Amino acid sequence: IRNTLKGLDTLPDWSNIVRILIDGLLYIVAGLILLLIVCLPAILLFIIGVYPILATSGSYTTYSDLWSVITLISTIIILLFLYGLIAIIVLWIYLPLATVNFAKKGFFGFFEVVDILKRFSLEYLGILVLYLVIKCIVGLILWIIAVIPIIGELIFYIFSSALSFILEIMFFRAVAKYYLERG
């Protein structure tokens, strides 16, 4: 990503492995912080909605009381599911641009939400969808090959990781080029 942002068409230099490891660790920490922020509303909804019900379990005297509890828990589960679905879509859109912003600006660049969302467009959504389609097609082809006993399985295990790695590199290069164009 950094080489693409510099306008270079070469692979990165791996001589400073310490910096690469530190950047990787910082990226993981940033991702965990983002995940915690995104999960916080779901955790609070669970605590506020479900915990009091569980704390008073066993004290329901009628079927009507029990039915009310089941309805409430079902509603909370549906809300948590819908929130999770929305959160996954938002993260799917946000993370690639945040990753490029991280590569350009460092740790806090990952959290520049307004700057990152300004770069969002239909073209970017097209890149995301195209990548998803290509990854699904490659995965389907590999799964079909994996049906072949022994040889197919061997091909699957050898090529699935390599192709996934190559597709990720191509994807983040495309996102970095898009990022530069939207500069």
Side-chain angles (χ1 to χ4, degrees), residues 11-109:
L11 293 172
D13 179 24
W14 287 81
S15 62
N16 193 351
I17 194 73
V18 173
R19 177 167 183 218
I20 292 170
L21 292 173
I22 290 171
D23 285 346
L25 184 62
L26 288 174
Y27 183 77
I28 290 170
V29 169
L32 290 173
I33 291 170
L34 181 65
L35 187 62
L36 180 64
I37 291 169
V38 169
C39 288
L40 195 58
I43 293 167
L44 291 175
L45 177 63
F46 179 80
I47 290 170
I48 292 168
V50 175
Y51 182 73
I53 294 168
L54 295 176
T56 59
S57 66
S59 64
Y60 308 113
T61 56
T62 66
Y63 287 114
S64 176
D65 292 342
L66 185 58
W67 186 251
S68 296
V69 169
I70 290 171
T71 304
L72 181 61
I73 289 176
S74 298
T75 303
I76 291 170
I77 289 171
I78 290 169
L79 289 173
L80 287 171
F81 175 77
L82 291 174
Y83 178 79
L85 188 63
I86 292 168
I88 287 169
I89 292 168
V90 168
L91 287 174
W92 180 66
I93 293 169
Y94 180 81
L95 277 175
L97 284 174
T99 300
V100 174
N101 213 41
F102 174 90
K104 183 176 183 179
K105 299 179 180 180
F107 181 80
F108 294 106

